[in-house]
Amino acid sequence: IFRVHKRAIMGKKAKKSRKNRQKIDGKKDTSEEKTIEHSEVETSEPEEALHSVETSKQTKVDDSNDEVLPPTEEDENDGDEEKKDEDEEENLKEAQKKGMDEEEGDTNESRTSTKSIMESEHKEGSISDGKYRNKQRCLVVCSRGIIARYRHLLEDMRTLIPHHKKESKLDPPTSKGGFSSAINDMCQLRSCNSVLFLECRKRRDCYMWLGCTPSGPSARFHVTNIHTMDELRLTGNCMKGSRPVLTFDESFGRIPHLKLLKELFVRTLGTPRGHPKSKPFVDRVMGFYFADNKIWVRNYQVVEEVASTAKEAQETKKETGESMKTSLVEIGPRFVLDPIRVFRGSFGGQTLYQNPHYQSPNDIRAEMSRKRGRAYKERKDWEAQKKVKNQELGLPVDPLADVFR
């Protein structure tokens, strides 16, 4: 509608410009004729010439000012048309302003409504825009002197954590502070928020540190029953860099220290949404189960089996409510974490929790050696008892043994 009105107004303006040009050309012709007549009159009658010059001057002034000339019917019609055009232009401008205001109001209302909807849905957790907001980085590092099994476990953990930062092996500490100061400095340089540190001692014991830097908390675990991906050769397979679904046992919501450990697992092993190295897929599940005062960790692939026939699809839909079967296939690695201590700071500080059921591997080995020593002692005691028994069970001396000699 606005375009049609604009075209009509532009056409009227073009007509007006043409009429004005014609008027100006006609006035120029009349002024030239008058000047010629006045020049002829000056030669014949000087008084009339003077009078005609004055009238010509008045006409020139009238042409310049447009106030002394009497209005004609054409001028009145042109003025009415100009007023109508001006009124139409003003009406169009007002309508355009109103339309723009209404559009701006609608856009502002739509923006506010969409913002409120996005905020409400973001609070409810029902929608994800996929932006990289939770910028978590996990430093994955190990100590020097680690054996092959633990090194393969570290590589498996790096594949499971796409938001990790890699660093070279740490040499054994010479100061009293241990690895804490070096790891905190490395996290600060690499802008990491969390740490996964594997510490190997005596080339046989593996300890895992999980913590948040630089303020903490942190936890130390003893890792046992390690089986890597290459060793297990399981059939499960997932996309590299996919985000996991972290599942926890009901005890992680009931026991206080397990609640804290749950948050540490989520921060270190949970891939943040929208990370550049992560894939926008969820095709694996990491399970954490608490049994025998230890945490059992497993990694599974989510497999959806499509029914080959319509009959199978109908049967599965009756059983599960869906046409596809969903199952879990283990990928690996698998290991058991025995919690030792939970510290308030990063790699130290106040002890928040200490496991009373934990036995260090050194104590276990010492007890085994004691058992072996006890077995040796028991064997020697039994030999001495047997010797004494044999002496007691000897035959009595026969007094008539030398009679017939």
Side-chain angles (χ1 to χ4, degrees):
I1 292 166
F2 293 145
R3 289 177 181 173
V4 172
H5 282 292
K6 282 183 180 179
R7 287 174 183 173
I9 289 166
M10 293 298 290
K12 289 180 180 179
K13 284 183 178 179
K15 288 180 181 179
K16 283 173 65 179
S17 62
R18 288 173 188 170
K19 288 180 181 180
N20 291 328
R21 285 176 185 172
Q22 290 176 0
K23 285 181 183 179
I24 290 164
D25 295 334
K27 287 178 182 180
K28 284 182 179 179
D29 296 334
T30 54
S31 61
E32 287 177 357
E33 290 176 358
K34 286 180 181 179
T35 51
I36 292 165
E37 290 177 357
H38 290 313
S39 61
E40 290 177 355
V41 170
E42 282 178 357
T43 54
S44 59
E45 297 177 356
E47 293 179 358
E48 291 179 359
L50 290 171
H51 183 69
S52 63
V53 168
E54 289 177 359
T55 54
S56 64
K57 288 180 181 179
Q58 287 178 1
T59 54
K60 288 180 181 180
V61 171
D62 293 335
D63 293 332
S64 62
N65 294 328
D66 292 334
E67 292 180 358
V68 180
L69 290 172
T72 60
E73 292 180 358
E74 292 179 356
D75 295 333
E76 288 177 357
N77 294 326
D78 294 335
D80 295 334
E81 290 178 357
E82 288 176 359
K83 287 180 181 179
K84 288 179 182 179
D85 296 335
E86 289 176 358
D87 295 333
E88 288 179 357
E89 288 179 359
E90 290 177 358
N91 293 327
L92 277 172
K93 287 179 181 179
E94 289 177 358
Q96 288 177 357
K97 286 180 181 179
K98 287 181 181 179
M100 293 293 288
D101 294 335
E102 289 176 358
E103 288 178 357
E104 287 178 357
D106 294 335
T107 53
N108 291 327
E109 288 177 358
S110 63
R111 286 174 184 172
T112 53
S113 61
T114 51
K115 282 182 181 179
S116 61
I117 291 166
M118 289 290 288
E119 287 175 357
S120 62
E121 289 177 346
H122 183 66
K123 288 179 181 178
E124 292 173 0
S126 60
I127 193 168
S128 171
D129 55 357
K131 291 184 179 179
Y132 181 38
R133 291 190 180 90
N134 184 20
K135 297 188 177 181
Q136 298 287 331
R137 299 176 185 87
C138 182
L139 180 68
V140 181
V141 68
C142 66
S143 63
R144 195 169 293 280
I146 197 168
I147 61 175
R149 181 184 292 273
Y150 303 152
R151 187 175 65 252
H152 287 298
L153 174 64
L154 188 72
E155 292 298 325
D156 292 343
M157 295 303 294
R158 281 173 178 163
T159 56
L160 296 179
I161 305 172
H163 60 285
H164 76 276
K165 292 287 185 179
K166 201 173 180 179
E167 195 62 46
S168 59
K169 296 178 182 178
L170 288 176
D171 292 324
T174 56
S175 61
K176 294 181 180 179
F179 293 104
S180 60
S181 60
I183 291 174
N184 288 328
D185 293 340
M186 288 164 64
C187 289
Q188 187 176 3
L189 291 172
R190 301 299 298 272
S191 66
C192 294
N193 304 325
S194 56
V195 184
L196 190 149
F197 174 56
L198 281 184
E199 182 183 2
C200 184
R201 293 195 174 187
K202 297 183 178 180
R203 297 185 66 84
R204 58 175 75 178
D205 302 330
C206 182
Y207 298 94
M208 181 184 287
W209 286 85
L210 294 177
C212 301
T213 57
S215 59
S218 59
R220 191 187 186 202
F221 304 92
H222 181 223
V223 188
T224 56
N225 298 334
I226 298 172
H227 300 282
T228 60
M229 292 184 187
D230 296 333
E231 179 187 357
L232 291 173
R233 295 182 182 276
L234 296 170
T235 58
N237 189 15
C238 67
M239 181 173 285
K240 187 176 180 181
S242 61
R243 297 179 64 200
V245 176
L246 303 180
T247 60
F248 297 89
D249 193 3
E250 55 87 20
S251 56
F252 282 89
R254 178 171 47 85
I255 302 172
H257 73 277
L258 290 180
K259 292 181 181 178
L260 181 58
L261 295 179
K262 178 182 176 181
E263 293 298 325
L264 286 177
F265 287 132
V266 170
R267 288 203 178 189
T268 53
L269 302 176
T271 305
R273 180 187 63 195
H275 192 272
K277 292 184 180 179
S278 66
K279 302 295 187 299
F281 302 102
V282 179
D283 60 349
R284 65 186 180 93
V285 177
M286 285 195 74
F288 300 87
Y289 310 101
F290 186 71
D292 297 333
N293 298 315
K294 297 178 182 179
I295 300 170
W296 303 70
V297 183
R298 297 290 183 269
N299 187 27
Y300 300 97
Q301 179 195 3
V302 180
V303 179
E304 292 183 350
E305 297 178 0
V306 181
S308 58
T309 60
K311 188 177 180 181
E312 290 181 1
Q314 189 175 2
E315 289 176 355
T316 53
K317 193 170 184 179
K318 284 182 180 180
E319 293 176 359
T320 61
E322 295 180 358
S323 59
M324 292 187 295
K325 286 184 179 180
T326 304
S327 60
L328 297 178
V329 181
E330 189 173 357
I331 306 169
R334 58 166 70 167
F335 51 90
V336 180
L337 299 176
D338 191 2
I340 303 171
R341 280 194 184 189
V342 179
F343 299 97
R344 187 172 184 176
S346 177
F347 294 89
Q350 182 183 358
T351 301
L352 300 178
Y353 171 76
Q354 185 174 1
N355 188 6
H357 306 285
Y358 171 71
Q359 287 184 344
S360 68
N362 292 327
D363 295 339
I364 294 169
R365 285 191 292 269
E367 186 65 27
M368 290 173 68
S369 64
R370 286 193 203 99
K371 284 182 180 179
R372 289 195 295 270
R374 277 195 224 103
Y376 175 76
K377 186 178 179 182
E378 288 174 358
R379 189 174 72 251
K380 289 297 181 182
D381 292 341
W382 180 77
E383 288 177 358
Q385 289 176 6
K386 188 177 181 181
K387 188 175 181 180
V388 171
K389 189 176 180 180
N390 290 333
Q391 290 176 0
E392 290 176 355
L393 294 175
L395 294 172
V397 178
D398 189 6
L400 301 176
D402 298 333
V403 173
F404 300 103
R405 287 183 181 179

